[in-house]
């Protein structure tokens, strides 16, 4: 079965993560399929892209069983850099992108949403970067993109506490662009958010997105490498291995 599904509506491409049994954890398989789709849509003529998840999560983040199996800092670094590159591809798409979050968007899942131009969510959704509870830090750009949105002090707070942020609070903080009640409303809202830009110059829109990100992007690529390096060193520590094992074992009982 495909781990990522796509369909088109009114010129908007919907990319739906489709591994609900693991809350759309970003396994290598899901990331590979997503990567392929991102390459293909570069050549399509679209009005925009909505990314969402099947089931009760947008995505619960990097696949913890894969993280735990990374043998050393080099493997962990390469693993993280690959994820970073795929998420950055979303940010660099020539289309407007909107994450439509229904349920959990945590860790790498939230980082994926942060790479989109906009984010909408149902009120029951929760977003956050809980990596600290596994003894690690975000490794797919979260330290950079959340900071860009809410400023360094709030980002530090959320990443150090690992707090799950309720949708209404995330909306007030500007992390989410809109919130709604139901999943049906959500997908429609995401589509409408994109279609409101119909008729506007797509190159101008692209430039605006790039320039507004530039505001804090002076050393973005260097910072991403540093993030991956710090995260890789933590992933290969015994402290984190024990925490990840605890998470995986709890689920088996
Ligand atoms: N990686 C791998 N598997 C994951 C996962 C992840 N990030 N998140 C959830 N899953 C799996 C669980 O192991 C479980 O599998 P099982 O049914 O085979 O036991 C399944 O998805 C359902 O998750 P579960 O934890 O049982 O659901 P819950 O409702 O009790 O809790 C969450 C939901 C999101 C709070 C919890 O799954 C969680 O904390 N996930 C990890 C979030 C995280 O730390 N992300 C950052 C990773 S670096």
């Amino acid at each position: 079965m495909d781990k990522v599904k796509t369909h088109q509506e009114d010129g908007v491409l919907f990319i739906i993560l489709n591994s609900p049994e693991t809350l759309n954890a970003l396994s290598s398989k899901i990331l590979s399929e997503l990567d392929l789709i991102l390459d293909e849509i570069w050549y399509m003529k679209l009005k925009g892209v909505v990314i969402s998840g099947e089931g009760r999560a947008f995505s619960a983040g990097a696949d913890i069983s894969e993280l735990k199996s990374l043998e050393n800092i080099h493997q962990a670094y390469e693993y993280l850099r690959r994820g970073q590159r795929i998420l950055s591809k979303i940010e660099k798409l020539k289309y407007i992108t909107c994450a439509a979050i229904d349920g959990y968007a945590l860790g790498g899942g939230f980082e994926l949403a942060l790479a989109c131009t906009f984010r909408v969510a149902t009120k029951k959704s929760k977003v956050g970067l809980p990596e600290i509870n596994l003894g690690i830090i975000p490794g797919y750009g979260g330290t950079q993109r959340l900071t860009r949105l809410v400023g360094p002090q709030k980002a530090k707070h959320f990443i150090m506490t690992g707090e799950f942020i309720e949708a209404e609070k995330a909306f007030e903080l500007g992390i989410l662009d809109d919130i709604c009640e139901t999943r049906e409303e959500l997908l429609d809202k995401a589509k409408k958010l994109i279609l409101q830009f119909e008729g506007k110059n797509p190159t101008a829109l692209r430039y605006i997105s790039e320039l507004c990100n530039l505001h804090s992007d002076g050393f973005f690529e260097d910072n991403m490498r540093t993030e991956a390096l710090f995260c890789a060193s933590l992933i290969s520590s015994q402290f984190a291995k024990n925490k990840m094992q605890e998470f995986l074992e709890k689920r088996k009982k």
Side-chain angles (χ1 to χ4, degrees), residues 7 10 37 53 72 77 147 160 167-168 170 204 218 225 230:
H7 68 274
D10 304 322
I37 292 166
N72 53 49
Y77 181 77
T147 303
M160 287 171 92
E168 280 176 317
R225 273 189 220 101
F230 286 5

Side-chain angles (χ1 to χ4, degrees), residues 22 42 48 62 66 71 84 89 101 107 120 143 183 185 199 252:
T22 55
W42 188 261
E66 284 188 11
E71 282 172 12
Q84 284 187 349
K89 252 188 213 180
I101 300 166
V120 296
T143 63
R183 184 182 177 85
E185 244 184 288
K252 284 197 192 105

Side-chain angles (χ1 to χ4, degrees), residues 19-26 56-57 59-67 104 106-109 111 128-134 136-138 164 244 247-248 250-252:
S19 195
E21 65 291 348
T22 55
L23 305 185
N24 299 315
L26 299 177
R56 61 191 179 94
S59 166
D63 186 318
I64 295 170
S65 54
E66 284 188 11
L67 287 188
Y104 295 109
L106 300 173
E111 290 172 297
L129 295 171
E131 286 86 347
I132 190 70
N133 300 325
L134 297 169
I136 62 172
I137 59 171
F164 288 7
M244 292 189 231
F247 174 87
L248 296 168
K250 240 186 263 168
R251 267 61 208 166
K252 284 197 192 105

Side-chain angles (χ1 to χ4, degrees), residues 92-113:
K92 290 183 184 134
L93 277 177
K94 60 182 172 181
Y95 309 110
I96 291 171
T97 51
C98 180
I101 300 166
D102 185 28
Y104 295 109
L106 300 173
F110 185 35
E111 290 172 297
L112 193 163

Side-chain angles (χ1 to χ4, degrees), residues 21 31 38 48 63 65 76 83 111 122 126 169 197 207 251:
E21 65 291 348
L31 281 177
L38 292 171
D63 186 318
S65 54
E111 290 172 297
T122 52
K126 292 178 173 63
K169 182 171 175 186
F197 298 106
Y207 285 169
R251 267 61 208 166

